[in-house]
């Protein structure tokens, strides 16, 4: 979602607190309370103009007047664009609002963003999540505070009953905006609001408490998973026989947590994986953003990156360790009695396997298709595509997992370097690492 952010940065250099200010009852009360309570810090009111309602210009203007009257500076972002084909208007508006609130907070020089969610919002979130069959993370509802990309999103009133906020607003004679979309019965939350609270007015505290229990249970499940994964997950590998020895609930808990480090795998994938795997079995599953491989009793996650288009120039003419973060491994170069002439290693290209590539394992063996050589050597599934090193003339020099191509060997009396591929033992690293060749 594109947000046409033209935030106005407040000029004072004092640290700032940002308040997400829609102009509704709750955020009006919150902004009022914050401008009265905070001293020595700038208060910045952030407003997102969704561009969806005819009155939205007037709301933004009203929010500015109120914020400035209370001594806060005011920043507004108007969203642009439209929902994608598979996106609801609400999901689009929400994603755009979140991005705009984040960007405005940063532009205001703040790292704390306050939102006016309260106990009833939390109770409604719990019911909506339960109706979708959510797990503990969904049932836990909104967190009180959460860091996201350098901004702490905090909900100081999450435990406050809605009535107490209304009472505060009335006591202080506040005026607020009534957004008519809050009454649209088309939206599940509005329907729930309209029917649940009149029927069960006292349910707010019980439901919010249930969300807290879910949050606690979620933390416990995470602690257990962390303990299990210390034993079962080594580097990028999860030990499948060890996983299968756990009780069924603990097994899927550990697997779900391991997967969540890499991908948002649906519960159905987890169930399939656990039911289809047999000791020694090899399986491959696509998952969002990558692939899962069960291979040699380990489960591996390989993120999909479009490396096919990537031709990276490398100079490996000196001994050293040359990490290739996108490939989760490194080239290791050492002096050796049999190897490749340093000059040839000075201008290499690293790429994926291509149609027609051939590899020769030993001086007296025949060159054969790379694919066959990889199969015969029992290469891990993710190494069957490379990386490969080719010299300036396009001749194959080395391949991850297979070693050096014998056709590239230097003559007996020439100085030589051995090149081999070392897989990362750590979980996938950030992609920003630079090669640390000597
Ligand atoms: N358009 C917006 N601009 C800035 N902040 C917003 C906006 N919409 C929502 N928020 C923030 O998110 C919180 C929860 O959103 P929600 O949609 O429940 O609120 P609302 O009904 O628009 O207004 P309020 O919570 O102020 O009564 C708000 O209290 C506010 O802090």
């Amino acid at each position: 979602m594109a947000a046409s952010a033209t935030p106005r940065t407040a000029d004072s250099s004092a640290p700032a607190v940002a308040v997400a200010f829609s102009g509704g009852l709750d955020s009006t009360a919150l902004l009022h309370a914050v401008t009265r309570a905070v001293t020595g810090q700038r208060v910045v009111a952030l407003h997102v103009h969704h561009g969806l309602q005819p009155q939205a210009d007037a709301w933004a203007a009203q929010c500015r007047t109120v914020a400035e009257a209370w001594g806060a500076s005011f920043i507004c972002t108007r969203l642009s664009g439209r929902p994608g084909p598979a996106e609801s208007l609400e999901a689009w508006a929400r994603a755009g609002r979140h991005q705009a609130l984040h960007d405005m907070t940063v532009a205001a020089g703040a790292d704390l963003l306050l939102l006016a969610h309260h106990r009833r919002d939390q109770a409604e979130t719990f019911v909506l999540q339960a109706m979708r069959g959510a797990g503990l993370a969904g049932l836990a509802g909104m967190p009180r505070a959460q860091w996201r990309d350098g901004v702490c999103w905090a909900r100081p009133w999450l435990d406050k009953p809605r009535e107490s906020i209304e009472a505060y607003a009335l006591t202080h004679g506040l005026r607020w905006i009534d957004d008519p979309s809050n009454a649209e019965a088309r939206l599940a939350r509005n329907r729930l609001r309209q029917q649940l609270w009149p029927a069960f007015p006292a349910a707010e505290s019980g439901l919010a408490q249930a969300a807290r229990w879910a949050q606690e249970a979620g933390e416990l499940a995470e602690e257990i998973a962390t303990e299990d994964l210390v034993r079962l997950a080594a580097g990028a590998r999860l030990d499948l026989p060890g996983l299968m020895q756990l009780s069924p609930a603990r097994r899927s808990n550990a697997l779900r947590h391991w997967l969540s480090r890499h991908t948002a795998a649906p519960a159905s994938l987890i169930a399939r994986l656990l039911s289809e795997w047999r000791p020694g079995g090899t399986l491959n599953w696509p998952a969002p953003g990558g692939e899962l491989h069960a291979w040699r009793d380990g489960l591996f996650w390989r993120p999909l990156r479009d490396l096919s288009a990537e031709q990276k120039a490398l100079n490996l003419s000196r001994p050293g360790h040359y990490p290739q973060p996108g490939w989760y491994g490194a080239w290791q170069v050492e002096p050796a009695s049999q190897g490749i002439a340093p000059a040839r290693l000075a201008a290499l290209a690293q790429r994926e396997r291509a149609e027609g590539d051939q590899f020769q394992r030993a001086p007296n063996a025949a060159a054969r298709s790379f694919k066959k050589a990889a199969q015969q050597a029992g290469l891990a599934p993710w190494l069957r595509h490379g990386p490969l090193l080719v010299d300036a003339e396009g001749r194959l020099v080395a391949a991850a997992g297979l070693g050096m191509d014998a056709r590239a060997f230097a003559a007996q009396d020439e100085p030589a370097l051995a090149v081999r591929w070392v897989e990362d033992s750590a979980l996938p690293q950030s992609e920003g690492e630079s090669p640390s060749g000597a």
Side-chain angles (χ1 to χ4, degrees):
M1 118 93 42
S4 67
T6 45
R8 200 160 48 86
T9 312
D11 38 28
S12 161
S13 59
V17 175
V19 178
F21 180 40
S22 66
L25 161 63
D26 309 317
S27 55
T28 301
L30 181 63
L31 182 66
H32 183 264
V34 171
T35 48
R36 285 166 63 110
V38 166
T39 50
Q41 279 186 300
R42 289 176 295 134
V43 176
V44 186
L46 310 179
H47 182 79
V48 180
H49 181 315
H50 294 101
L52 297 174
Q53 307 267 7
Q55 315 90 311
D57 285 337
W59 291 341
Q62 182 177 334
C63 285
R64 175 186 294 277
T65 306
V66 168
E68 290 179 351
W70 292 341
S73 29
F74 180 78
I75 305 179
C76 176
T77 291
R78 186 184 172 128
L79 302 187
S80 61
R82 282 284 147 211
E87 205 177 19
S88 71
L89 186 67
E90 288 69 37
W92 169 84
R94 189 167 179 271
R97 184 167 67 243
H98 285 187
Q99 187 63 51
L101 287 173
H102 174 274
D103 294 348
M104 289 191 284
T105 305
V106 173
D111 62 4
L112 177 62
L113 171 66
L114 303 178
L115 299 115
H117 292 106
H118 48 66
R119 193 173 75 175
R120 183 169 285 197
D121 293 324
Q122 184 74 318
E124 288 167 0
T125 304
F126 178 86
V127 177
L128 290 168
Q129 290 288 344
M131 289 196 296
R132 286 183 201 131
L136 291 175
L139 296 176
M142 294 173 277
R144 263 155 214 77
Q146 185 183 35
W147 282 93
R148 275 195 244 153
D149 297 332
V151 171
C152 179
W153 294 60
R155 299 176 174 88
W157 284 355
L158 199 56
D159 294 329
K160 287 251 178 287
R162 197 193 69 98
E163 281 79 11
S164 67
I165 297 171
E166 197 170 350
Y168 176 95
L170 293 174
T171 305
H172 292 278
L174 306 183
R175 295 177 56 201
W176 58 88
I177 293 161
D178 263 323
D179 179 348
S181 72
N182 285 343
E184 275 180 36
R186 172 179 71 81
L187 301 176
R189 186 180 285 268
N190 294 343
R191 279 205 306 282
L192 180 74
R193 221 169 249 175
Q194 288 155 9
Q195 293 173 27
L196 175 66
W197 302 124
F200 299 97
E204 188 183 301
S205 88
L207 289 167
Q209 177 59 45
R212 275 197 290 278
W213 289 132
Q215 191 181 354
E216 215 174 288
E219 284 166 13
L220 196 61
E222 191 163 338
E223 276 176 33
I224 294 170
T226 306
E227 265 177 34
D228 288 339
L229 292 178
V230 164
R231 282 182 297 108
L232 298 174
R237 178 180 188 276
L238 179 69
D239 179 51
L240 283 171
L243 184 75
M244 294 302 175
Q245 276 170 15
L246 300 176
S247 68
R250 200 160 163 167
R251 187 185 302 162
S252 32
N253 182 51
L255 182 56
R256 193 167 40 248
H257 278 82
W258 184 81
L259 278 173
S260 71
R261 295 176 182 179
H262 309 295
T263 179
S268 55
L269 176 75
I270 296 175
R272 222 183 111 195
L273 199 155
L274 291 172
S275 70
E276 286 179 19
W277 180 78
R278 299 284 171 271
T282 301
L283 293 166
N284 303 310
W285 297 272
E291 279 176 346
L292 281 165
H293 299 281
W295 183 74
R296 299 217 171 140
D297 283 353
L299 188 67
F300 298 84
W301 166 252
R302 306 308 293 181
L304 281 188
R305 289 190 57 215
D306 187 12
L307 292 160
S308 55
E310 191 179 294
Q311 274 259 13
K312 184 177 173 187
L314 283 180
N315 176 355
L316 304 186
S317 61
R318 293 164 66 187
H321 188 72
Y322 299 85
Q324 306 301 319
W327 293 92
Y328 306 108
W331 295 107
Q332 181 76 27
V333 181
E334 288 154 2
S337 54
Q338 186 171 55
I340 300 165
R344 193 165 186 177
L345 295 175
L348 296 172
Q350 174 177 273
R351 63 162 169 81
E352 276 208 323
R353 160 168 78 84
E355 205 56 47
D357 275 334
Q358 294 221 321
F359 186 81
Q360 183 173 325
R361 291 197 64 119
N364 52 0
R368 51 183 9 202
S369 88
F370 179 89
K371 209 168 158 184
K372 283 227 175 69
Q375 270 167 5
Q376 198 190 31
L379 271 198
W382 54 90
L383 289 179
R384 292 179 197 159
H385 296 281
L388 265 54
L389 292 175
V390 293
D391 67 13
E393 264 108 65
R395 292 170 302 189
L396 192 61
V397 166
L402 287 181
M404 293 176 285
D405 190 301
R407 294 168 298 180
F409 284 157
Q412 280 293 334
D413 47 349
E414 270 187 75
L417 293 171
V419 179
R420 76 191 158 88
W421 179 254
V422 189
E423 280 223 63
D424 277 352
S425 56
L427 286 169
Q429 312 261 318
S430 72
E431 296 184 9
E433 264 180 23
S434 60
S436 62

